[in-house]
Amino acid sequence: MAYKLRRSRIYVPGNNPRMLSTCGLFDADVITIDLEDSIAPDQKLAARWLVAEAFKDLDFGRSEVTVRINALSTPWGRKDLEAIIPTKRVEVIYLPKTESPENIKQLDSVLEKLERESGMEVGATKIVPILESAKGVWFAYDIAVASDRVVALSFGGEDYTRDVGGERTPEGTELMWARSQVVAGAKAAGKQALDTVYSNVEDLEGLYKNTVMMKKLGFDGKAAIHPNQIPVIHEAFNPTQDEIDYALRVIQAIEEAKAKGSGVVALGRKMIDKPIVEKAERVLMIAYLAGMIEEDEIPENIRESIVKEEE
Amino acid sequence: MKIEKEVTVGTEEREDVLLTLKPNPEGGIKINITGKGAEQFGEEIRSAAMSVLKEMNVENAIVEIKDNWAFDYAIRARTRAAVLAAKGEV
């Protein structure tokens, strides 16, 4: 599957024209236009059509264009899709409160119908389920494999904590199991894992430390609620120069061993096995997508799996 | 289509319009534009609203638009939402 950079994802309220017309300048990997929690019930109609009309005119820069719709069990979810899918601008639907594979299958079939009616390729619209309840997190893997459209699992920490009767702490102890479960569920299915927001927008240092930890846990990206958080999240997810140098040495060692016809690869006194190679390839892929290295520095075998945005 | 109910959508925030759609007892479409961009972009605002009313077959309505430097898409969106709200959509 093609790897797409989804380090940062900024939420933009769908009923705010000013935010819609400027969010393309934020340089986020992903823009998620929100029709759900940030929109009051009596504004759902207005927001839905503001977003649909915005898609006809606005440019969102290099960002992946995604929409968080209302759950399909609400009076609004299906109408959201009917308004925005025919614009052919939505790359990914974020489905809130996903708790079962059936939620995804239902969305999949509505998308298929709308794609056919709009003359789009069936399957063009991808899905990211948002897991934000005990049940949703518990069924992470089943949800991730419920449709080929699913490209990642996203974790919602605030609602999850409320659902399990826990309490939010600065260290995030209450989220440890859930985060690991979301990562494992996503990775077992070969999908990306995207972390919840860091709520304290004033504390960029705390955000950086938290994001580095999430990267170590296996997450590929993190949601942002303020544009100032975006460059910090990118920095945390980007490989360090040391990681890039090491990955390049690993790839070089493999090529040298191949040239010698040797099946055993070593770097210094350390054996290079498959997980090390895969990690090196991943580091170089992210480094390339983040503009840190040139295309010819990536090993040929992974070049074709990379989705690079047009400059 | 005839508008039989008064509805207001949008806001007075920057780049938005506050748009009120009302029944027109005299028949036909009447568009009143006020606000920041009224003088400079009145015709563009009118034509954006009109394009949606036409598409949605609205033949009788008074439209009051208070503009705060909205782009065309926002004017079209607010007009469309107002017509749908008048029809009872949620």
Side-chain angles (χ1 to χ4, degrees):
Chain A
M1 185 184 281
Y3 189 91
K4 200 155 188 200
L5 213 48
R6 295 192 177 94
R7 296 164 301 177
S8 64
R9 176 165 69 86
I10 181 101
Y11 273 115
V12 176
N15 205 26
N16 185 328
R18 186 112 203 255
M19 289 284 282
L20 288 173
S21 61
T22 52
C23 64
L25 304 171
F26 295 162
D27 198 38
D29 290 342
V30 181
I31 291 171
T32 300
I33 300 171
D34 184 35
L35 296 177
E36 199 218 9
D37 279 354
S38 67
I39 309 293
D42 65 352
Q43 295 299 315
K44 297 286 188 193
L45 172 73
R48 178 189 306 140
W49 288 105
L50 187 68
V51 173
E53 290 291 343
F55 283 158
K56 294 183 188 166
D57 292 9
L58 296 183
D59 178 14
F60 295 94
R62 68 169 192 88
S63 307
E64 182 173 48
V65 177
T66 77
V67 177
R68 178 167 75 172
I69 61 166
N70 291 282
L72 291 175
S73 56
T74 67
W76 312 294
R78 203 184 165 104
K79 287 178 188 290
D80 292 343
L81 293 169
E82 287 166 353
I84 60 170
I85 295 300
T87 66
K88 305 182 185 182
R89 288 292 301 278
V90 189
E91 293 171 79
V92 183
I93 294 293
Y94 278 69
L95 186 68
K97 299 177 177 60
T98 306
E99 296 202 314
S100 70
E102 285 69 35
N103 294 154
I104 299 302
K105 289 188 175 127
Q106 188 190 8
L107 174 58
D108 189 310
S109 80
V110 177
L111 287 173
E112 182 173 337
K113 180 174 176 283
L114 292 171
E115 284 169 345
R116 282 189 201 284
E117 285 171 5
S118 313
M120 296 165 69
E121 184 195 337
V122 170
T125 316
K126 304 301 178 198
I127 298 173
V128 173
I130 305 177
L131 310 183
E132 47 192 340
S133 66
K135 197 174 169 195
V137 170
W138 185 264
F139 289 112
Y141 173 75
D142 305 80
I143 289 167
V145 295
S147 164
D148 286 344
R149 293 179 191 265
V150 175
V151 290
L153 294 181
S154 176
F155 176 53
E158 300 293 334
D159 285 357
Y160 170 83
T161 307
R162 257 198 307 278
D163 192 45
V164 298
E167 197 178 309
R168 290 292 268 128
T169 63
E171 318 78 61
T173 320
E174 70 286 358
L175 303 180
M176 279 170 59
W177 176 81
R179 277 174 160 148
S180 299
Q181 163 83 353
V182 170
V183 168
K187 299 306 163 90
K191 320 275 167 135
Q192 290 180 332
L194 310 174
D195 189 36
T196 190
V197 298
Y198 188 82
S199 313
N200 186 350
V201 292
E202 305 292 325
D203 183 11
L204 294 178
E205 200 185 320
L207 169 68
Y208 179 76
K209 283 185 186 155
N210 176 272
T211 310
V212 166
M213 188 128 80
M214 293 311 119
K215 176 187 166 189
K216 288 180 177 168
L217 211 57
F219 279 105
D220 299 278
K222 187 167 176 68
I225 45 175
H226 191 283
N228 287 349
Q229 294 184 317
I230 295 168
V232 178
I233 292 174
H234 287 178
E235 196 190 336
F237 275 109
N238 284 346
T240 62
Q241 196 54 49
D242 282 352
E243 285 174 312
I244 295 173
D245 291 344
Y246 182 74
L248 288 169
R249 288 208 304 275
V250 168
I251 301 300
Q252 197 186 355
I254 294 168
E255 274 162 16
E256 281 171 9
K258 265 190 207 152
K260 280 192 226 154
S262 163
V264 183
V265 187
L267 188 59
R269 295 168 65 179
K270 199 171 176 200
M271 289 289 296
I272 304 292
D273 55 8
K274 200 164 169 250
I276 294 180
V277 177
E278 283 173 355
K279 165 113 198 269
E281 288 176 347
R282 192 182 139 80
V283 164
L284 295 178
M285 194 158 67
I286 295 171
Y288 167 66
L289 290 169
M292 301 170 80
I293 60 171
E294 296 300 322
E295 190 176 350
D296 58 13
E297 292 177 272
I298 329 165
E300 267 175 49
N301 61 319
I302 56 166
R303 256 178 235 174
E304 61 190 41
S305 65
I306 296 174
V307 181
K308 172 95 170 169
E309 295 302 318
E310 295 300 319
E311 296 296 326
Chain B
M1 182 199 164
K2 199 171 164 185
I3 298 300
E4 288 172 353
K5 188 175 145 190
E6 179 173 329
V7 290
T8 299
V9 295
T11 68
E12 293 189 42
E13 302 286 312
R14 206 175 153 84
E15 294 189 24
D16 206 347
V17 291
L18 188 69
L19 186 148
T20 303
L21 187 72
K22 297 179 191 175
N24 186 358
E26 291 165 19
I29 304 267
K30 198 173 161 201
I31 302 180
N32 301 320
I33 301 162
T34 57
K36 304 258 170 69
E39 202 177 319
Q40 205 179 341
F41 296 106
E43 268 323 296
E44 285 83 351
I45 295 169
R46 182 182 310 277
S47 114
M50 206 56 211
S51 69
V52 174
L53 296 173
K54 219 169 155 185
E55 186 201 317
M56 301 182 84
N57 299 316
V58 176
E59 285 156 1
N60 295 283
I62 296 172
V63 189
E64 283 166 5
I65 301 174
K66 188 172 181 191
D67 175 61
N68 190 358
W69 307 115
F71 288 113
D72 271 13
Y73 82 86
I75 299 159
R76 294 197 312 265
R78 297 321 191 185
T79 311
R80 189 180 297 277
V83 175
L84 291 170
K87 280 166 75 178
E89 251 203 63
V90 292

